[in-house]
Each structure stands twice: as structure tokens, then as C-alpha cells.
């Protein structure tokens, strides 16, 4: 048996050694590929340098062997790292220049954070229109990014500095450059994929910390945190939706299953072919909603090959959801709108609203179901493109369909209306030179008139202009704002064949104003193409040419700004594109699947890669897994640093859970435990080289109920008792020596003038004398007091994070913590009325019964606490008065009183802790004695 165990151990060692050798070899190949310019390898190496975690096996043997990186430092903030971070930024820049979307996002995130924090500090968030200033700012960014870090001019190891920048001193323009490159890459991939740019990629929004806290119970989780559907449930839907089902397929099951595959929700993969299959099944059995989606798929070749695109089938499907045509759909929608208006007017006692086309004798007809808005939008697209032998190209009627679909809430229709305003499909073929000159002259006159109508100081607003034009369109059935020749009525394909020289109608400032409003409406509903279009327009601005007459009546060519450049708005739109793009969606989705399958390490690496790009979900999930103990081979100190790094980044983006977690790091003293942010990179080392805590006990368990920790973890009580005993004996000896007769070898002490208040030869009122006599040991009470001040500062920082979560997210946990800290004066001023206010907010912001019970218990406890503090202060005043009257008060040192009480005169945390320790010690010895007697 012994030989077998030895053989098994030897085999295990060889396997482990082989894994380490493979990891080292893969790391060498990855670095070599990075040196040769491989963008993905450069991105992976940059992630490793920024996070301090290898992309392969992170075992200590691998880290020790890999001498080229000098044993990567694990930073505790995104701005730390020095030369290591500077190298990562350089590799990201090289990778982004080669088209890597993740690298561009990583740099854009850091530049944007620096720009935003610079604005808060009165600094650098300026979109200067001066090219010289802009170039100067960009040059400064490049120098600061690399040169200053290498030269040590930028203190990236300082927590205060790292909280203001992430290794770069960015501007809005520098951030915009990276985010624009990333957004363009995302849109290229999206439009070339099977989604065709018309379907948003599936985004995974699972929050692992919330799932863990609720025990994975589906009923207690939000919709984003629901577990994926089981394969058995999906198989049941497939069986119910099958065409072979008796007597007919279940329409609801078919539509549900199609929605799962369409949007990639509840664990189903995003598969357009399967989505189209089940949409068609539901549409064949009368589902208007399914018909609208299936028609959209056939129209844009989603789920089918380009050569299999079938506009005739799309027309049949759209016709199912638009009974009665345009007029019928419009009347039903207007009646529904009238009902809502009249219901509101009835509540206010106003007269009923009547539609313009109704008269007094009109009978109220049965409204019937509303038309399906994707079908309405699809009919507009068919009139725009034309269907051979079925629908002729009719831009005017297409616009009417789009307006109706937009009024029904369709975001694609808003985007289509905006594109029409910018000249989409509006081309004029020019064949004859004479006809070309005549039309140019007419267009000049019309352009001049339109520019006059759309002046900025015009009395008619853009909204009024839209309404008037739409009313004319509905009334006359044609669009007066566009110029089309007869050939434009033909199929769009025929127009492209006939056109040799084409020119789009000249756009006006009013056209851009209307288009921007339509794009904004679509972007607010999540339309990715609309966000990208708005980002491009705001990033570069728009100038148009027009021909105003001069004083002599002759036409002259001039230019005017139609849309002003706005770096900040463009940056937010581009960020919205990349956040909802396929790159981050794929990372987070794969990471969650790996987590559920038990492959925690690979899941963590994917979340970390997403976190470096600025994804707050990637940051909080990576931080949670690291804090949970999945350390990828790092020791506990490095693991805590890496976890805190991601929590901090997510908290600065406003994530509620991250704010609470960072506050807990400071509140419970875990910052001290790993010596983070205290000016020491590796912490204090003991004789064995291991990391030791700066403070023990009090810093780890603040508050009046710290003793409860030692009931749950009694093994921590023994070293604490030993430490407190040593401190107490030393303090007692120092007090006795300071008040007794000194040995002859001591330095004689003479009292200062006016302070000859001696007691047995000792100057009791002279503080310098006490300092001379008290031991200078590193564990003296004076050193402990400075540690307590440091802990108090950490409690104040924790309160700031809790306050952020309470104000921005109405967090009940944050309000409860703030109430507790105000009640006991932990990092905040002791204020019972303010504590009650926070407790009440915690109860109102959480609807669960458990929160209400906890708040009621806290309020009852606070009432007792408030009375105890009041009587304690009265007792202290009486005690001091009696001591002064008897002349005995001078035997107590003022420093002892200050140490025993807090600023409000209540019993201090240290004194209460000592009393609790003594009480627990007595109880422990009592139990031991009782057991021995038995």
C-alpha cells in the first residue's frame, strides 16, 4: 500500500510538472506572437500586464520561471502598475491600430474615465475646436501614457492618483478616437453576421453575487438573473410547436421558442434559422406577431441566404398583420388613441376629443385588434424597395406607413424616417444636360427657400414642422418635401440600372434637425444602428452648402453648420454601441455558461477580459469570483488586491453592489489586512516573510457588537487575548513608572515654570515628561492610537461608498449601514435623528418583510441605546464633578480619558472592546471550571 501511494504521488507530480511546462511554453509562444504583431496576442499580454494575472496557468512555479516580467505585480486599482501598466497600454494601442475591438475599448474606457474625472477636478474634459490645442492635448496623452510612466513622473502607485486616472491623462477627443474605432468594428461585424445589423446581439446580464445571495432561487431573482431554461423545457416547447403535433401546433409554444432563439434569452443560443422556422409555424396558424417577425427575416435575409431572399413571401406575411391596409390600421390606431385621451379628459372633467374625420352621426365601431407594428413597418419598406408585379416604389406611401409604425412605438420605423430625411433611396437619374441644368436651378431656388423656412430664429419649431408635413402627407397622399422623377416610381433595382449620373436632393438644416430627432427616438429604445449614426454625426458635425442671393440679386455659394460637433454626446453614443455589441456579449455569455458548468477558472478569465474593456458586469462578476476564493494560483493577498481592483472600477461606474462591496472592504478592515492603499505595496513582512496585518481585532470588526465575531469564530479569540494582555501590562507599567519614584539611573526631570504640580516628584501636568517615560516600543498605546485614527478614516471612506449607493440606487443595505454608523459614531458624527432617517429609508426602499423586521429591531435597539448614552453622559459629568471636588481628578491622565471616550463623551470602541474581551474571558474560564467540576 505504501508503494502504491508513493507511485500515485509521483505520477501526480509528473502531471503537475507537465502542466507547468505546457503553460510556460504557451506563454513563450504568446509573447513571441505579440512581438511579431499579432493583435489578439498583444491584447492578451496587455490584459495580463494590467491585471497582474497570466492568461495561462498562474501557479507560483510559472510566475517564478517567467523572469521577463519580473514576477508580475498584482495592482489594487486600475491606475496602478507603473512600467508594467505603461507596457500594457502600448500593446493595447498597437492591437487597436490593427483593428482589435477589445483593445480599442480598453483604451477608450481608460481615456474616458480620465477625461470625466479631469472635468470633476476642473481639468481636462474639453472639446476644443482649436486644432492646435487638440493636437497638443493628444500629444500630451501619448507622452503621459508611456514616457511619464517609464520615467516615474506619474505616481501610478498612489491610490489618490489612480482614482483620478487609469494610467493615461485622457481628453474627450482621445477617448472618442478609440471608441469610434471600436464602434465601427462592432457595426462591421454586426452587419456582416447573420443578424444583418437589424437584430441586437444577445447580452448576458447575470449578476453572480446577487444569484449567490439569493441562493439561486428563481422566485427571488430579477428577470436578468433568472436561471437558463433546462434543455428538457426547450425540448418540450419543440414538441408542442412541431408541425406534426396533434391536432395542430401550439402557437404560443412556437412563438415563445422562436423568441428564445431570436433574442438568445433564457439560455437558448441566438440562432436566426431556428427562430425563422418557429416564427413561420406560428404565422401559418394565425399569429400576427410571428408574421411580422418572419416577414422581417425574409426582407433582410435574416436566417436565410442572400439568394433565397423572398420579398413576395415577406409581403404575404406583412399583409396578415395589416388587415384593412393603411387606412384601416390608421383608423384603429386613432380610435385607440382617442380612447386614452378621452379617459384622461373624463378624469379632469373636460369635453370629449373627436377625431378630425369623424362627424356627429358616426357610430362607434368595434375597434378590433391593432395592426402589428413590425408588419406596418415592413409594408413601408416594401413600398420603399418595391415588389415586382405587386408593389411599385412609392416613397410617399412608404413614409405614411413609417409614420404609423413610429406612432405605434416601432423603433425601426423611427430609424427609417430619419434615413429618408437624409436622402435614403431618394436619387434622381440625370440623362440630358439641359434637363440637368434646369433641375439644378430649381433645386437651388427650393434649397434657398427651405433654408429660409428652417432658420434657427424661425417662429415655427421643428416639432411643428414635422406635424404639419405629416398632416399634409396623410391628407394629400404625397410628400411635398421630396422631388422624384417618374422613373423613381419603378423598382429600386431598375432605378439603379438606369442611373448613370445620380444626385441626391440637397439637404437642409431642417432635414438634419428632423432626422436627428427620429434617430434619437430610435436610439432611446436601443436601436444600435441609430446610436452609431448619431455618434458619427456628432463626432464630425455636418456642414451644408446653400446659395443665398447677394445684394445685387446674384446667387452665391456659402456653407453653414447643420449639426454642431459635440464630443461628449458622440462619445456616449459610441459607448452605447460597443457595450451592446457582439464582442462583450460573446465574452459575458460564454463566461456565464462556463460558470454554470463548473469551469470557474475559464469563466473568471473571460469575465476579466470583459472587465478590462470597461464592462461593469464583467468587473463585478470577476471581483465576486476572486473574492470567493477562485484565485488562479495567487496567494490570498494578491487575490484580495485583484478583487478590490475590479470592485473599485465598477463602483466608480455607479454599480450598486460594487459600492457596497468596496464600502465593506474599508468598514471591515480588509484594506489593512492586505496593506492596500496605505503606502506599502507588499505590506508589512514579519520575520518569516509573510504578510502581517497592521491592526488586529478592532480594525477587522468595528462597532459595538464586534464580540459576536468571536462567538462565531472562537479560534480568533486566543491570539487577541494574548495581544491585549501584553498591551495592558505594558501600559500599566508605563503608568506606574510615570507616577512613582524613578530609579537613580533615570534622567532627572525638572518641571517647567508655572507647572510645578508635583506628585511624588513627578510633573503630572507636563505631557513631554509622560512621553519620555512611556516605552518607545512599536506596540505602545500611542502607536495604537494612530492606528485607530487610520481605521476611523477608513470608516469615513466606507461611509462615502455607502452614501453613493444610497443616493444613486436607493439601496436599502446602504441606508441601513449609514443608519448604524450614525447611531454608533463609526466614521460619521453620532447623530440619532439622522440614523433614524436612514433606517426609515432602508425600510421604504425595500419591499421585503425581512427588511422591515430588521429595521424595526434596529429602531428599538437605537431607542434603548440613545437613553443609555444620555444617562452615561450624565453619570460621567457627575463623576468628574465629584473627582474635582475631592481633588483626585489630577491622578487621571487626560489622554486616558480621551482614549476611553469618543468625541461625544460616550464609551469608546476600544474601551467597550476591552470590556467585552474581559467578559468573554471570564465566561470562558467559568465554563472550563464548570466542566472540570463535573
Amino acid at each position: 500500500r505504501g508503494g502504491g501511494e508513493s507511485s500515485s504521488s509521483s505520477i501526480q507530480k509528473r502531471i503537475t510538472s507537465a502542466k507547468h511546462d505546457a503553460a510556460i511554453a504557451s506563454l513563450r509562444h504568446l509573447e513571441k506572437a505579440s512581438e511579431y504583431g499579432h493583435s489578439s496576442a498583444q491584447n492578451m499580454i496587455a490584459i495580463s500586464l494590467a491585471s497582474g494575472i497570466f492568461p495561462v496557468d498562474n501557479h507560483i512555479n510559472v510566475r517564478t520561471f517567467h523572469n521577463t516580467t519580473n514576477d508580475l505585480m498584482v495592482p489594487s486599482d486600475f491606475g496602478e502598475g507603473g512600467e508594467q501598466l505603461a507596457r500594457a497600454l502600448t500593446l493595447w494601442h498597437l492591437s487597436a491600430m490593427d483593428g482589435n475591438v477589445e483593445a480599442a475599448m480598453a483604451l477608450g474606457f481608460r481615456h474616458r474615465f480620465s477625461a470625466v474625472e479631469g472635468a470633476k477636478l476642473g481639468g481636462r474634459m474639453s472639446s476644443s475646436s482649436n486644432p492646435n490645442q487638440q493636437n497638443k492635448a493628444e500629444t500630451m496623452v501619448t507622452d503621459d501614457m508611456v514616457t511619464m510612466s517609464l520615467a516615474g513622473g506619474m505616481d501610478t502607485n498612489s491610490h489618490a492618483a489612480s482614482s483620478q486616472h487609469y494610467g493615461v491623462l485622457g481628453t474627450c477627443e482621445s477617448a472618442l478616437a478609440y471608441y469610434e474605432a471600436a464602434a465601427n468594428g462592432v457595426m462591421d461585424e454586426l452587419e456582416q453576421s447573420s443578424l444583418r445589423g437589424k437584430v441586437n446581439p444577445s447580452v448576458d446580464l447575470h449578476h453572480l453575487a446577487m444569484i449567490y445571495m439569493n441562493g439561486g432561487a428563481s422566485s427571488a431573482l430579477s428577470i436578468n438573473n433568472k436561471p437558463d431554461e433546462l434543455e428538457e423545457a426547450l425540448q418540450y416547447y419543440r414538441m408542442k410547436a412541431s408541425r406534426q403535433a396533434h391536432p395542430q401546433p401550439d402557437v404560443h409554444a412556437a412563438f415563445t421558442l422562436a423568441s428564445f432563439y431570436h433574442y438568445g434569452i433564457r439560455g437558448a443560443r441566438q440562432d436566426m434559422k431556428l427562430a425563422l422556422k418557429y416564427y413561420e409555424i406560428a404565422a401559418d396558424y394565425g399569429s400576427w406577431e410571428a408574421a411580422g417577425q418572419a416577414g422581417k427575416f425574409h426582407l433582410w435575409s435574416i436566417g436565410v441566404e442572400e439568394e433565397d431572399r423572398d420579398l413576395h413571401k415577406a409581403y404575404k406575411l406583412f399583409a396578415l398583420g395589416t388587415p384593412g391596409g393603411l387606412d384601416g390600421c390608421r383608423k384603429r390606431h386613432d380610435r385607440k388613441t382617442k380612447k386614452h385621451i378621452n379617459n384622461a379628459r373624463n378624469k379632469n372633467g373636460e369635453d370629449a376629443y373627436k377625431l378630425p374625420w369623424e362627424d356627429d352621426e358616426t357610430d362607434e365601431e368595434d375597434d378590433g385588434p391593432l395592426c402589428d407594428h413590425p408588419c406596418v413597418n415592413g409594408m413601408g419598406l416594401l413600398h420603399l424597395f418595391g415588389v415586382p408585379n405587386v408593389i411599385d416604389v412609392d416613397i410617399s406611401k412608404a413614409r405614411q406607413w413609417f409614420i404609423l409604425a413610429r406612432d405605434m412605438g416601432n423603433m425601426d420605423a423611427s430609424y427609417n424616417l430619419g434615413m429618408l430625411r437624409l436622402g435614403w433611396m431618394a436619387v434622381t437619374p440625370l440623362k440630358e444636360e439641359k434637363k440637368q441644368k434646369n433641375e439644378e436651378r430649381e433645386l437651388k431656388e427650393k434649397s434657398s427657400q427651405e433654408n429660409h423656412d428652417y432658420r434657427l430664429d424661425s417662429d415655427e419649431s421643428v416639432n411643428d414642422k414635422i406635424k404639419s408635413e405629416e398632416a399634409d402627407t396623410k391628407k394629400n397622399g404625397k410628400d411635398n418635401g421630396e422631388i422624384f422623377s417618374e422613373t423613381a416610381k419603378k423598382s429600386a433595382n431598375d432605378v439603379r440600372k438606369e442611373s448613370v449620373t445620380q444626385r441626391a436632393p440637397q439637404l437642409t438644416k431642417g432635414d438634419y434637425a428632423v432626422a436627428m430627432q427620429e434617430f434619437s427616438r430610435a436610439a432611446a429604445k436601443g436601436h444600435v444602428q441609430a446610436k452609431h449614426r448619431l455618434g458619427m454625426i456628432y463626432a464630425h458635425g455636418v456642414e451644408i452648402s446653400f446659395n443665398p442671393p447677394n445684394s445685387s440679386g446674384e446667387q452665391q455659394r456659402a456653407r453653414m453648420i447643420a449639426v454642431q460637433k459635440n464630443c461628449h454626446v458622440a462619445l456616449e453614443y459610441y459607448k452605447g454601441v460597443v457595450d451592446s455589441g457582439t464582442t462583450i456579449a460573446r465574452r459575458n455569455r460564454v463566461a456565464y455558461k462556463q460558470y454554470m458548468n463548473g469551469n470557474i477558472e475559464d469563466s473568471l478569465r473571460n469575465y476579466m477580459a470583459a472587465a478590462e474593456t470597461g464592462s461593469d458586469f464583467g468587473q463585478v462578476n470577476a471581483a465576486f469570483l476572486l473574492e470567493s476564493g477562485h484565485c488562479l494560483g495567487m496567494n490570498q493577498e494578491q487575490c484580495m488586491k485583484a478583487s478590490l481592483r475590479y470592485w473599485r472600477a465598477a463602483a466608480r461606474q455607479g454599480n450598486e453592489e460594487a459600492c457596497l462591496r468596496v464600502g465593506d472592504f474599508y468598514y471591515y478592515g480588509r484594506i489593512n489586512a492586505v496593506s492596500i492603499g496605505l503606502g506599502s505595496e507588499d505590506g508589512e513582512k514579519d520575520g518569516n516573510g509573510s504578510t502581517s496585518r497592521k491592526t488586529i481585532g478592532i480594525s477587522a470588526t468595528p462597532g459595538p457588537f464586534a464580540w459576536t465575531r468571536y462567538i462565531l469564530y472562537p479560534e480568533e479569540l486566543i491570539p487577541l487575548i494574548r495581544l491585549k494582555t501584553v498591551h495592558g501590562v505594558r501600559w500599566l507599567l508605563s503608568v506606574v513608572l510615570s507616577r512613582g519614584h524613578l530609579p537613580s539611573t533615570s534622567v532627572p526631570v525638572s518641571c517647567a515654570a508655572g507647572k510645578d504640580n508635583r506628585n511624588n516628584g513627578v510633573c503630572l501636568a507636563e505631557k513631554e515628561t509622560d512621553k519620555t517615560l512611556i516605552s518607545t516600543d512599536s506596540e505602545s498605546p500611542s502607536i495604537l492610537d494612530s492606528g485607530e485614527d487610520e481605521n476611523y478614516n477608513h470608516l469615513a471612506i466606507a461611509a462615502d461608498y455607502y452614501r453613493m449607493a444610497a443616493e444613486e440606487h436607493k439601496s436599502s443595505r446602504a441606508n441601513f449601514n449609514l443608519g448604524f454608523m450614525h447611531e454608533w459614531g463609526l466614521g460619521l458624527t453620532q447623530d440619532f435623528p439622522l440614523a433614524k432617517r436612514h433606517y426609515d429609508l432602508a425600510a421604504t426602499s425595500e419591499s421585503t418583510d425581512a427588511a422591515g423586521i430588521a429595521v424595526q429591531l434596529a429602531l428599538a435597539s437605537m431607542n434603548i441605546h440613545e437613553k443609555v448614552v444620555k444617562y452615561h453622559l450624565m453619570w460621567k459629568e457627575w463623576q468628574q464633578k465629584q473627582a474635582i471636588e475631592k481633588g483626585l481628578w489630577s491622578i487621571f491622565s487626560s489622554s486616558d480619558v480621551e482614549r476611553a471616550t469618543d468625541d461625544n463623551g460616550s464609551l469608546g470602541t476600544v474601551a467597550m472592546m476591552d470590556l467585552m474581551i474581559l467578559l468573554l474571558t471570564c465566561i470562558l474560564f467559568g465554563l472550563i471550571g464548570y466542566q472540570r467540576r463535573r
Side-chain angles (χ1 to χ4, degrees):
R1 180 181 300 177
E5 292 179 355
S6 176
S7 176
S8 176
S9 175
S10 177
I11 293 173
Q12 186 65 33
K13 288 181 179 180
R14 287 199 296 270
I15 293 174
T16 303
S17 177
K19 288 182 179 180
H20 294 165
D21 293 340
I24 294 171
S26 62
L27 201 57
R28 284 173 173 171
H29 289 304
L30 195 62
E31 288 189 333
K32 186 63 68 175
S34 173
E35 293 174 2
Y36 288 154
H38 194 281
S39 61
S40 297
Q42 290 170 340
N43 181 52
M44 293 179 67
I45 294 295
I47 292 174
S48 300
L49 291 169
S51 63
I53 303 174
F54 286 121
V56 292
D57 191 351
N58 205 62
H59 193 270
I60 184 62
N61 294 341
V62 179
R63 299 182 70 92
T64 303
F65 181 83
H66 193 257
N67 296 324
T68 57
T69 57
N70 298 321
D71 192 9
L72 291 181
M73 178 195 73
V74 179
S76 63
D77 207 334
F78 266 62
E80 296 181 3
E83 183 177 352
Q84 181 176 305
L85 178 59
R87 185 186 169 198
L89 295 171
T90 304
L91 289 174
W92 265 324
H93 182 75
L94 294 174
S95 181
M97 291 177 63
D98 201 29
N100 189 285
V101 174
E102 286 190 343
M105 291 175 63
L107 288 175
F109 168 64
R110 284 160 173 77
H111 280 265
R112 177 178 175 273
F113 176 81
S114 176
V116 172
E117 289 300 312
K120 292 179 180 178
L121 298 174
R124 308 170 55 81
M125 187 67 165
S126 60
S127 298
S128 176
S129 59
N130 189 339
N132 296 328
Q133 293 181 2
Q134 182 174 339
N135 294 335
K136 182 179 179 181
E138 292 176 353
T139 303
M140 188 183 299
V141 171
T142 304
D143 293 341
D144 288 338
M145 182 174 64
V146 182
T147 308
M148 287 186 65
S149 297
L150 293 174
M154 182 164 39
D155 186 11
T156 55
N157 287 324
S158 171
H159 174 56
S162 63
S163 64
Q164 300 170 11
H165 63 81
Y166 284 164
V168 296
L169 299 180
T171 62
C172 181
E173 286 79 10
S174 63
L176 182 63
Y178 288 113
Y179 268 120
E180 184 174 20
N184 291 338
V186 167
M187 288 306 302
D188 288 343
E189 182 180 1
L190 194 61
E191 292 176 349
Q192 294 173 9
S193 68
S194 61
L195 305 180
R196 300 290 192 268
K198 299 299 179 182
V199 180
N200 291 351
S202 173
V203 179
D204 188 90
L205 301 178
H206 282 95
H207 198 313
L208 301 185
M210 300 303 297
I211 296 174
Y212 177 81
M213 286 190 294
N214 289 280
S218 178
S219 59
L221 296 172
S222 63
I223 185 63
N224 293 329
N225 290 321
K226 295 285 185 183
D228 291 343
E229 291 286 353
L230 299 176
E231 181 59 30
E232 291 79 1
L234 296 177
Q235 184 61 34
Y236 174 77
Y237 279 123
R238 296 190 195 103
M239 180 186 67
K240 297 283 288 182
S242 173
R243 292 186 184 273
Q244 286 75 34
H246 182 77
Q248 67 178 27
D250 189 319
V251 175
H252 176 72
F255 185 79
T256 301
L257 195 58
S259 299
F260 283 176
Y261 288 123
H262 184 184
Y263 301 107
I265 57 178
R266 301 303 294 272
R269 71 180 186 278
Q270 198 168 20
D271 192 320
M272 297 299 105
K273 291 185 177 180
L274 289 176
L276 177 58
K277 172 185 174 181
Y278 289 105
Y279 275 138
E280 288 181 332
I281 292 175
D284 290 344
Y285 288 89
S287 174
W288 292 5
E289 294 85 353
Q293 297 297 340
K296 176 182 177 180
F297 278 42
H298 282 289
L299 178 63
W300 295 109
S301 302
I302 302 174
V304 297
E305 299 298 331
E306 183 68 30
E307 57 270 13
D308 296 331
R309 181 185 184 191
D310 192 344
L311 295 182
H312 289 87
K313 192 167 187 178
Y315 170 73
K316 293 178 181 179
L317 291 166
F318 289 146
L320 291 176
T322 56
L326 179 61
D327 293 337
C329 292
R330 169 60 68 180
K331 286 185 178 181
R332 285 194 293 273
H333 176 264
D334 288 346
R335 286 199 183 98
K336 287 285 186 181
T337 305
K338 186 186 81 167
K339 279 191 174 182
H340 288 296
I341 295 175
N342 286 338
N343 289 337
R345 289 194 172 191
N346 290 336
K347 292 180 180 179
N348 298 330
E350 300 177 2
D351 296 335
Y353 169 75
K354 185 165 58 177
L355 295 171
W357 45 267
E358 290 182 333
D359 52 31
D360 296 335
E361 287 78 20
T362 301
D363 294 329
E364 287 292 334
E365 301 176 1
D366 183 17
D367 292 337
L370 288 176
C371 295
D372 181 62
H373 62 82
C375 289
V376 175
N377 179 67
M379 293 299 288
L381 290 169
L382 292 181
H383 282 82
L384 189 65
F385 298 144
V387 181
N389 303 321
V390 179
I391 299 178
D392 293 332
V393 174
D394 190 339
I395 309 295
S396 175
K397 198 165 186 178
R399 171 168 292 194
Q400 296 178 58
W401 283 105
F402 289 147
I403 291 173
L404 176 58
R406 182 204 62 191
D407 294 342
M408 298 173 70
N410 188 276
M411 65 179 181
D412 288 326
S414 296
Y415 178 75
N416 295 335
L417 284 171
M419 292 300 294
L420 282 179
R421 273 290 177 180
L422 297 184
W424 183 36
M425 300 298 292
V427 293
T428 305
L430 304 175
K431 298 180 180 179
E432 302 176 2
E433 184 177 356
K434 183 177 180 180
K435 184 177 180 179
Q436 179 179 1
K437 292 181 179 180
N438 292 336
E439 289 192 0
E440 285 181 353
R441 184 166 56 252
E442 293 175 0
L443 286 173
K444 287 179 181 178
E445 295 175 358
K446 184 175 181 61
S447 175
S448 178
Q449 181 63 30
E450 286 182 350
N451 278 294
H452 175 74
D453 293 339
Y454 284 98
R455 295 194 311 266
L456 284 177
D457 57 348
S458 174
D459 295 333
E460 185 178 19
S461 65
V462 173
N463 288 328
D464 296 336
K465 188 72 176 175
I466 297 174
K467 293 179 181 179
S468 63
E469 290 180 357
E470 291 176 357
D472 292 340
T473 302
K474 298 172 187 177
K475 181 178 180 180
N476 302 327
K478 62 181 181 180
D479 187 358
N480 298 322
E482 303 286 0
I483 301 177
F484 301 102
S485 64
E486 290 298 321
T487 54
K489 300 295 183 181
K490 298 180 181 180
S491 172
N493 295 327
D494 297 336
V495 171
R496 294 190 186 96
K497 292 179 181 179
E498 288 186 23
S499 303
V500 179
T501 306
Q502 296 180 346
R503 173 177 50 79
Q506 186 171 355
L507 300 177
T508 66
K509 190 170 185 177
D511 291 328
Y512 277 100
V514 175
M516 298 293 282
Q517 191 174 45
E518 296 293 352
F519 288 148
S520 299
R521 184 180 288 119
K525 297 178 180 179
H527 200 282
V528 179
Q529 288 180 309
K531 292 179 182 178
H532 187 252
R533 182 73 57 176
L534 287 168
M536 289 192 298
I537 293 175
Y538 279 117
H540 305 286
V542 177
E543 288 188 358
I544 58 175
S545 59
F546 65 103
N547 304 287
N550 55 19
S551 58
S552 61
E554 297 178 356
Q555 296 287 334
Q556 60 178 1
R557 195 167 189 81
R559 299 187 67 82
M560 66 180 298
I561 297 177
V563 180
Q564 184 71 41
K565 290 177 62 175
N566 192 323
C567 179
H568 312 302
V569 176
L571 183 59
E572 294 307 312
Y573 278 122
Y574 277 143
K575 186 177 185 299
V577 172
V578 298
D579 287 345
S580 58
T582 54
T583 305
I584 297 302
R586 190 184 304 115
R587 281 283 189 188
N588 286 337
R589 188 63 191 163
V590 171
Y592 178 72
K593 286 287 188 181
Q594 292 170 336
Y595 173 79
M596 295 304 295
N597 293 331
N599 191 357
I600 306 298
E601 288 196 1
D602 289 343
S603 173
L604 176 54
R605 294 187 190 280
N606 275 306
Y607 277 131
M608 287 168 54
E612 297 298 332
T613 65
S615 169
D616 58 339
F617 279 93
Q619 290 167 354
V620 296
N621 288 334
F624 169 75
L625 291 177
L626 288 166
E627 188 178 353
S628 300
H630 305 286
C631 297
L632 300 176
M634 296 180 289
N635 58 37
Q636 185 178 4
E637 177 186 350
Q638 293 171 334
C639 196
M640 278 293 183
K641 283 186 176 183
S643 175
L644 181 59
R645 176 174 179 266
Y646 290 122
W647 282 129
R648 276 173 170 165
R652 290 171 188 146
Q653 295 195 73
N655 185 275
E656 176 186 356
E657 184 64 24
C659 292
L660 292 169
R661 293 300 181 108
V662 177
D664 290 345
F665 262 93
Y666 282 99
Y667 182 86
Y668 290 108
R670 279 178 279 179
I671 298 291
N672 288 345
V674 294
S675 300
I676 298 174
L678 302 179
S680 173
E681 179 58 38
D682 299 322
E684 295 180 351
K685 305 291 184 178
D686 58 15
N688 300 323
S690 60
T691 303
S692 62
R693 301 167 70 118
K694 277 195 170 185
T695 55
I696 301 177
I698 298 175
S699 65
T701 53
F705 305 110
W707 54 272
T708 57
R709 177 181 180 86
Y710 303 104
I711 296 178
L712 300 174
Y713 307 102
E715 65 275 7
E716 296 184 4
L717 187 61
I718 295 176
L720 186 62
I721 293 175
R722 184 174 63 251
L723 181 65
K724 286 292 181 180
T725 303
V726 172
H727 288 170
V729 171
R730 288 178 177 175
W731 177 79
L732 182 61
L733 290 175
S734 65
V735 172
V736 171
L737 290 175
S738 64
R739 287 162 174 76
H741 293 283
L742 296 178
S744 58
T745 57
S746 61
V747 180
V749 179
S750 59
C751 295
K755 295 184 179 180
D756 194 7
N757 185 14
R758 295 176 178 268
N759 184 18
N760 295 328
V762 178
C763 303
L764 298 177
E766 183 63 46
K767 293 184 178 180
E768 291 298 327
T769 305
D770 293 339
K771 289 184 179 180
T772 304
L773 297 173
I774 293 178
S775 172
T776 59
D777 192 277
S778 60
E779 294 179 344
S780 63
S782 61
I783 300 297
L784 290 177
D785 290 340
S786 64
E788 292 170 16
D789 293 339
E790 187 175 28
N791 293 330
Y792 187 89
N793 293 334
H794 284 178
L795 291 174
I797 297 174
D800 290 337
Y801 280 102
Y802 292 147
R803 191 176 294 108
M804 186 189 306
E807 293 176 354
E808 296 183 6
H809 302 282
K810 311 299 181 185
S811 171
S812 59
R813 290 163 57 193
N815 276 306
F816 189 90
N817 292 346
L818 288 171
F820 185 82
M821 295 176 77
H822 272 296
E823 179 186 351
W824 294 96
L826 302 174
L828 298 172
T829 304
Q830 191 174 36
D831 190 329
F832 289 104
L834 193 55
K836 183 180 185 304
R837 177 173 177 269
H838 282 292
Y839 281 140
D840 292 337
L841 289 174
T844 56
S845 59
E846 187 70 39
S847 58
T848 59
D849 296 335
I853 294 174
V855 169
Q856 293 300 322
L857 291 174
L859 289 173
S861 174
M862 188 186 71
N863 291 333
I864 299 174
H865 179 206
E866 187 175 6
K867 294 179 180 178
V868 170
V869 169
K870 179 180 178 181
Y871 291 130
H872 178 72
L873 290 174
M874 293 173 60
W875 178 78
K876 290 294 294 183
E877 291 177 359
W878 178 85
Q879 186 184 39
Q880 293 176 8
K881 183 178 180 181
Q882 294 296 319
I884 292 174
E885 291 178 354
K886 294 180 180 179
L888 299 177
W889 180 249
S890 59
I891 65 174
F892 296 103
S893 173
S894 61
S895 61
D896 299 336
V897 177
E898 292 176 357
R899 185 170 180 267
T901 59
D902 58 16
D903 295 337
N904 300 306
S906 60
L907 194 59
T909 304
V910 177
M912 293 185 68
M913 191 66 194
D914 292 339
L915 292 176
M916 293 299 177
I917 293 295
L918 291 175
L919 178 61
L920 289 175
T921 304
C922 295
I923 294 174
L924 180 62
F925 282 115
L927 291 175
I928 294 174
Y930 177 75
Q931 289 291 335
R932 288 183 176 181
R933 289 185 62 183
R934 292 186 61 185

